[in-house]
Amino acid sequence: MTVVHDGHAPGPRIRDDMTVEVALSLMAGARVDHLVLCDGDDQSTGLVTLAWLAGLRDSPAYTDRIRLRDVLALAH
């Protein structure tokens, strides 16, 4: 599983303070397999995939309070 940093990827742009649970719900509703993460200044900070977030959710370290910016920190 990886997090890709690509500021030019097409797809829904969301703030990186969103929780993983909300992001997964948004992906299901929008029927997309990735989200482009943005910081408070609307600058792209990375891209996360549905597969990566689903794998994270199934890990023993997961809690429903993990935010997407924390996921980026875990990926490095």
Side-chain angles (χ1 to χ4, degrees):
M1 294 184 288
T2 59
V3 175
V4 177
H5 290 276
D6 184 355
H8 304 292
R13 296 174 59 89
I14 55 144
R15 297 269 310 258
D16 63 2
D17 60 350
M18 182 180 289
T19 65
V20 170
E21 282 299 315
V22 173
L24 287 166
S25 178
L26 183 131
M27 288 174 146
R31 297 183 181 170
V32 296
D33 64 356
H34 71 276
L35 297 170
V36 178
L37 303 179
C38 300
D39 62 16
D41 296 325
D42 201 32
Q43 297 298 310
S44 176
T45 58
L47 182 143
V48 292
T49 65
L50 177 60
W52 199 85
L53 291 178
L56 176 68
R57 184 177 57 189
D58 293 339
S59 77
Y62 177 77
T63 72
D64 62 354
R65 295 183 181 182
I66 293 178
R67 299 199 178 274
L68 294 173
R69 70 171 62 117
D70 301 330
V71 170
L72 289 177
L74 292 172
H76 294 214

